[in-house]
Amino acid sequence: MRERRFGVRPHQMVVLVAGLVVALYAVWVIRHVGSSPPAGAAVPAPRATPTATARATAAPKAPPSLRTFRTAVADARTILVIGDSTGDGPGEWVDLWAQDLGGSREVTLHNWEVGAQDFSASPLVYGFGQALDLWNLSSPDIGADPAQQLGSVPTTPGAVILNVGHDRDPSSLRRTIRTTTAAIADRWG
């Protein structure tokens, strides 16, 4: 039998390292989102620096503020996540986010079941407080057109998160985004 160090098994170490990476990324996102200017605020142009070619370069655009989305998520009673295999199971980002939101709200997580081609009849519930239904339409085999499953979402979401493209070629990804956003607009406006 192999001796273990610190009482941690290799798969536990992998989970710890992955958790640390996710936590560091979350801190980075929070710092950068928190430093975004308010919606509609003027963004100062970067100072021009002399270059060897003396040609004018376009000032880089500031990323859009997430304030509108953060407000929609904070006030939402229903959120829809349309995603791929990176968020489809226990311990993946949608489940972890639901658990985190459960610190201040009662989150009912409805996961998509591939075999049934419908949402689970036994949703997970995290936390307490203001109710939030989180419909997780993430699946490893959602196909090129997740819009086909939108009819299974029983209520109008207050926010939609589209998280696809991690395992698709660019042309397939463009088609997926185009058909999915068009179906969302057709169904909920």
Side-chain angles (χ1 to χ4, degrees), residues 72-147:
V73 168
D75 295 339
R77 294 178 185 263
T78 303
I79 297 174
L80 171 61
V81 175
I82 301 171
D84 54 25
S85 62
T86 63
D88 69 330
E92 293 187 9
W93 80 267
V94 178
D95 180 55
L96 296 174
W97 186 42
Q99 291 177 42
D100 185 61
L101 290 171
S104 61
R105 301 176 75 168
E106 181 178 299
V107 180
T108 303
L109 176 59
H110 306 270
N111 283 310
W112 183 254
E113 289 188 354
V114 175
Q117 286 295 293
D118 204 353
F119 289 100
S120 172
S122 303
L124 302 170
V125 179
Y126 299 110
F128 57 90
Q130 180 185 357
L132 171 65
D133 279 313
L134 184 54
W135 296 90
N136 184 15
L137 186 54
S138 295
S139 171
D141 67 345
I142 200 83
D145 195 2

